[in-house]
Amino acid sequence: MLQFTRLENTAMSYSGQCQCGAIRAAVAGEPVAVRQCWCRQCQQVAGGAATNNAIFATEAVTMTGTPATHSYTAASGNVLTHSFCAACGTPVMAQTNARPQFRTFRLGFLAPGHGLSPQAAIWTSEAPPWAAIDPALERFEAQPPPPQGKP
């Protein structure tokens, strides 16, 4: 059973854990962006749909446990590393070599009640024809620019 807790007494904090509890994370700070990704690799990670992700500053993240990883060269040309729990398979986060100052956590990994929702849909050119992308979201057919005001 999933067990998540939001960090208490901190207005801008998030926490989460995998299904078995072997991987846990705490994040102090707000995300620099929250995006939905429709690239083919994210569709594979998400079982056919998009991944929904919150991008946080690396320095704000504390993790316990050692996730398994898989790296590959993405369509953007960057090396992308997906982290997941080796014991239960829960997707945890991703990181690109182009932006090591960020960690991209899967919204499903974060504690319920986090209140985050995608503000943009990226790699929409790779979305399947049946994809239901919220028309209110900003859209990028491929790699978006870095988050506003951030390196």
Side-chain angles (χ1 to χ4, degrees):
M1 178 176 178
L2 290 172
Q3 296 178 358
F4 298 108
T5 47
R6 178 137 173 147
L7 296 177
E8 297 297 326
N9 303 320
T10 309
M12 297 177 10
S13 298
Y14 301 89
S15 66
Q17 70 178 40
C18 65
Q19 290 181 349
C20 70
I23 308 295
R24 296 173 187 267
V27 183
E30 290 297 316
V32 296
V34 183
R35 297 175 174 163
Q36 182 178 77
C37 184
W38 284 96
C39 78
R40 182 65 189 131
Q41 291 82 15
C42 279
Q43 290 177 49
Q44 290 175 314
V45 169
T51 60
N52 295 285
N53 311 293
I55 304 169
F56 294 98
T58 297
E59 63 200 23
V61 175
T62 302
M63 291 188 70
T64 59
T66 304
T69 61
H70 173 72
S71 298
Y72 60 91
T73 301
S76 65
N78 300 320
V79 175
L80 189 64
T81 301
H82 287 276
S83 297
F84 56 95
C85 178
C88 67
T90 301
V92 174
M93 68 175 183
Q95 182 184 13
T96 174
N97 68 326
R99 296 186 184 122
Q101 71 273 30
F102 297 127
R103 296 288 188 273
T104 302
F105 280 90
R106 307 302 182 205
L107 292 186
F109 175 80
L110 298 176
H114 53 68
L116 301 173
S117 62
Q119 301 303 308
I122 66 173
W123 289 97
T124 58
S125 64
E126 295 188 7
W130 51 261
I133 302 172
D134 184 343
L137 296 180
E138 183 175 15
R139 291 182 186 214
F140 297 90
E141 288 190 12
Q143 183 70 28
Q148 276 292 336
K150 304 293 178 186

